[in-house]
Structure formats: C-alpha cells, structure tokens
Amino acid sequence: MIVVCVFLVLCCNLVQSQFPRACTTATALRTKSCCPLWKDGSPCGSRSRRGQCRNRVVFATFAAGQVRQYDDDRLGWPMYYYDRTCECFGNYSGYDCGDCKYGYFGEKCDRKITVVRKEIRELSLLERKRFFSYLVMAKTTISKNFVILYTGDRHHQDTYRFVDASIYNVFSWIHYYSTKPILINGTFNSTTNYAHQGPAFPGWHRLGLLFLERQIQLLTGDENFAIPYFDWRGEKNCSICTDDFVGDNDVQGFLSEYSHFAFWKSICSGYDYDEAYCLGADDQNQMQKLHRKPGVDPVASSLPTFKDVEDTLRWSDFDLPPYNRLARRSFRNVLEGFLNPSDGVTRQRGMHNLVHLFLGGTMSEVPISSNDPIFVLHHCFIDKIFEVWIRRHNATPDDYPENDQRGQGPNECSTPYFPCYRNKDFLRHSNNFGYTYSRYQGM
Ligand SMILES: *[C@@H]1O[C@H](CO)[C@@H](O)[C@H](O)[C@H]1NC(C)=O
Ligand SMILES: *[C@@H]1O[C@H](CO)[C@@H](O)[C@H](O)[C@H]1NC(C)=O
Ligand SMILES: *[C@@H]1O[C@H](CO)[C@@H](O)[C@H](O)[C@H]1NC(C)=O
Ligand SMILES: *[C@@H]1O[C@H](CO)[C@@H](O)[C@H](O)[C@H]1NC(C)=O
C-alpha cells in the first residue's frame, strides 16, 4: 500500500517525459493504454472526430508478445509500454490528437503555415536575439505535456522512473534515449541504436528538429518561428563560436560567461555507461556544464568543404546493404559521415560525424551532444542537405529500404515519438512538414 501511494505521488506531481505525462499514470502503465482524454472528454478526441484509440497503431515487424523480459524497452516502439495509442485523422496529430500535424495550426488544424529556416548569419539582430531568448525559455520552462525516463540500471525495469524536465531538456533526452545501446537478451549491443548507423538517421533527426521547433512555437505563441542552420562549408574554424552567436569558450572548453549558454547544464551527462538511462535527470548538481573545443582535436582538425557536400549529394541510392556504418556508396552513410564523400568507399570521418568531432566537448559525446544548441544548428544544416538530395533525386518513401537494423524498418515507428511516425515517411519534401530552407552560399 505504501509503495502504491509513493508511486501515485510520483506519478501525479513530479512525473513528466517525452512520455506524454498523461500516459505515465499508474493506470495508464498498468493497462498499457496511452489514449488520453482530449478536452471534449473522449479518448484521442474521438467524440470530435480528431482521432481514435486503437490497438497497435504500431507498424513494427514484431509480433505482439515478441518483446521479452531482458529485452530493450524501446524495441518495437512503443509496444513495451503501450498496446493502445491514439491514431489521429486528417490534419490532427499529437499524443492525444489535441495538436496538429507539423505545418498546421488552429483549433481545427486547417491553417497551413510554411516557415523558412535561414542560416544563422542571415537573421537580423532582432531575429537572432529572439532565437536565443526562445532557447532560454525552452531551457527553463518545465514541459506541461511530457516527462522523461531515467534509471540507474536498465536491467531492472521496476527501477524506471519518470520525472519532469524543461522543454529543451525533453528534446535533449529524446536524442539521448534513442542513442543508448540496444539491450537484447540481457546483453548490450553498442554498434546499433535507433537514430544512427542506419537508414533512419536523416529522418529521425528531421523529426527531432520538428519536435523542438513546434514546442517553441507553442511555448512562445510565435507560429512563424523557424530554427536556423549553420552552413559550415568553407569554414576554417567555428566562426559562430563567438558570444554574439553560440558562444566563445576558454582553454578548458567552458563557454564564456558572457555567452547565451554560459550557465546551461547537460541533462544525462556524467553517467555515460550502457546500464543507465539519464541518471541525475532530476539533480542539477550531477549535471556538467556545456563545453566545446572547436578545431582542437587532431583527428578532426577541419570542417567538411563545399566539394564534400557536392560529392555527398551525388550518391543516388538512399541506403544500401548492410544498412549500417559499413554500407558503401550509400547517400545516408556518406551524409552520416562514415565514408569519403568522393569515392563512397574509403572509410573516414566526414560530413555529420566530422562536425561533431571538430566542435569537440559536449558535441563530441554523441548521446548527450543534443544538450549544446549548436547541435540544433548543425543538424538543421544536415537536414537542408537531406532536403536538397530528396529534391534532386525525386526521392519518395518507397526509396526507404527494408533492413534489419532494429527500430529502423520502413514501417516501424520512429523511437521514441508519440504519435507514431513511420521511418519512411520523412523521405518527402519539407513543405509537407511546414518548412523550407533559404538559399545561402549557392545552395
Ligand atoms: C487540412 O488543412 C487544409 C488547409 O491548409 C485544408 O484544406 C484541408 O481540408 C485540411 N484537411 C482536413 C482533413 O481537414
Ligand atoms: C538468452 O540468453 C540465454 C543465456 O544467457 C540463452 O540460454 C537463451 O537461449 C537466449 N535466448 C535467446 C532467445 O536468444
Ligand atoms: C580554432 O580556434 C581555436 C581557438 O579558438 C584554436 O585553439 C584551434 O587551434 C583553431 N583550430 C584551427 C583548425 O584553426
Ligand atoms: C549488433 O547489432 C548489429 C546490427 O543489428 C548486428 O549486425 C550485430 O551482429 C550485433 N552484435 C551482436 C554482438 O549481437
């Protein structure tokens, strides 16, 4: 009885995460149902025809019951946690169908807005200041709708806990959570995760950026807000690593005290071992400050060039067997940065991976790299390259291959999002998601 009471207190007061808060109550977890009541009082807004509560709105290749004890809680997302989730109709979306699809606004989700994502140096002084103040708001405002998951030992699912986090930290946690090694039959496989080293990589990150952009639009009421990108082509060093932009750093890598992010701390930092999910998520004292050391790592002493990006865009196959870091002549694997862009065969650090390593510090620790807002700018440019490639090669969801990377099948839900977005659905023009890119430096 005492245990139950403690659990309820945890659930109803403290608990929040990219788990919809409403789906982490004791009842929701016990009944494996994530169909929250919308404001019309019906699950998934079914009375207002916004959506319906359905068994397995999941397109996973797993049969029900195939996710076993000792297996990863993220396999066949979100089957481990929920059998029933919302399926939303038309322009409606969100975990309870109370929100709109990306790019749509209004109570009835019938207002389409397409925002333009610009290079950060194209923003006016006012737009840039606004961007930094929105980020600070997102970093300091507790998410109303989502909570995050942590545990010190992933083998013991009875120790998993849900806690509150700020909107930016929810975004950061989503990346961290999907990047942890996959637990299969009690063993961690460190070469595979849900967001990298496979065909899901570009679409997974596209969805992450959309999530953050939308959360900031809703938080600030600024429906025209678009995240900016950092076009690093031709850069000798990180020219936006100044206090006017993303912040200068000292010799140890800590951000200058005059920079916008000087006092930001990294959620899920300090416990980068396989067994843990984001330990210290509820304790500021256990979090590290952001740090960055651009251009210092001898194995990553330059940024990708204009030619590297052109070469990357030439590969016409979206992805190829074996659909991991060994895939050759694969656009995805060149873009992700495991291959030389010009020959598509030689293994080397390039493109996306090279930029992470070049920037160093928090950005070079992949799971927690999303804590540094330069991650958003970098991935926004990676997404622009993805978009240019989609248009140049007329790619469609049919170009997304069947593959055996866990969680990265074409019809599997992108982990760990609500509602379900299939991995293949991101091979579409960005207009479908309510944004486009400015032209900058000839691209
Ligand atoms: C979605 O919104 C558009 C307006 O941009 C509207 O024309 C369309 O009818 C809406 N679709 C549905 C199913 O409501
Ligand atoms: C899981 O591992 C145990 C030993 O650790 C082994 O006996 C069992 O066959 C494995 N099960 C599967 C399905 O791989
Ligand atoms: C980049 O600038 C930092 C100092 O801000 C310096 O330590 C580093 O050597 C530079 N790297 C390159 C590749 O120029
Ligand atoms: C880890 O996963 C990869 C990709 O799914 C697979 O090829 C590899 O065999 C796995 N390694 C182990 C040790 O199970």
Side-chain angles (χ1 to χ4, degrees), residues 96-320:
D96 61 354
C97 304
D99 199 355
C100 308
K101 290 219 162 92
Y102 291 119
Y104 291 93
F105 292 85
E107 176 83 3
K108 296 226 171 307
C109 300
D110 50 4
R111 243 174 345 103
K112 170 116 191 176
I113 297 180
T114 304
V115 299
V116 181
R117 293 182 180 173
K118 295 186 203 159
E119 216 280 342
I120 188 159
R121 287 161 289 190
E122 289 183 283
L123 301 182
S124 67
L125 182 62
L126 184 64
E127 286 172 324
R128 194 181 350 132
K129 287 195 173 224
R130 194 182 289 145
F131 171 57
F132 290 127
S133 68
Y134 286 178
L135 281 177
V136 170
M137 277 171 80
K139 182 71 175 180
T140 53
T141 308
I142 297 291
S143 173
K144 252 185 9 237
N145 297 328
F146 300 110
V147 288
I148 64 168
L149 174 71
Y150 80 80
T151 180
D153 188 347
R154 294 172 51 196
H155 289 97
H156 296 286
Q157 281 155 356
D158 57 328
T159 65
Y160 289 20
R161 291 289 177 266
F162 296 100
V163 293
D164 275 340
S166 73
I167 288 166
Y168 190 91
N169 285 349
V170 170
F171 163 76
S172 195
W173 173 90
I174 289 171
H175 181 261
Y176 167 89
Y177 181 62
S178 64
T179 303
K180 295 296 278 189
I182 300 181
L183 179 65
I184 296 174
N185 199 16
T187 308
F188 295 105
N189 184 332
S190 315
T191 67
T192 171
N193 65 63
Y194 301 93
H196 304 89
Q197 302 188 31
F201 166 75
W204 189 96
H205 288 83
R206 171 166 282 197
L207 185 53
L209 296 180
L210 280 166
F211 175 83
L212 180 65
E213 194 171 60
R214 179 84 176 182
Q215 290 300 312
I216 291 179
Q217 288 166 347
L218 296 174
L219 171 70
T220 61
D222 182 353
E223 296 175 344
N224 293 304
F225 169 71
I227 51 177
Y229 58 92
F230 171 35
D231 182 345
W232 30 248
R233 291 174 302 163
E235 293 265 311
K236 290 278 171 290
N237 212 329
C238 177
S239 66
I240 63 164
C241 293
T242 62
D243 289 345
D244 287 340
F245 287 86
V246 297
D248 199 354
N249 56 273
D250 65 20
V251 185
Q252 285 157 337
F254 292 107
L255 298 191
S256 135
E257 62 181 300
Y258 302 108
S259 73
H260 301 281
F261 312 120
F263 303 105
W264 282 40
K265 287 189 167 178
S266 293
I267 192 168
C268 314
S269 59
Y271 288 92
D272 194 15
Y273 44 83
D274 295 348
E275 290 88 334
Y277 272 148
C278 206
L279 212 56
D282 51 356
D283 182 358
Q284 282 282 325
N285 296 324
Q286 299 197 36
M287 298 178 198
Q288 297 166 353
K289 285 172 77 174
L290 295 182
H291 52 289
R292 219 184 278 142
K293 284 188 172 181
V296 171
D297 185 344
V299 304
S301 58
S302 63
L303 286 160
T305 63
F306 282 88
K307 179 171 183 302
D308 289 336
V309 173
E310 255 327 296
D311 286 344
T312 300
L313 287 166
R314 282 214 308 274
W315 298 102
S316 57
D317 287 305
F318 174 63
D319 207 352
L320 289 167

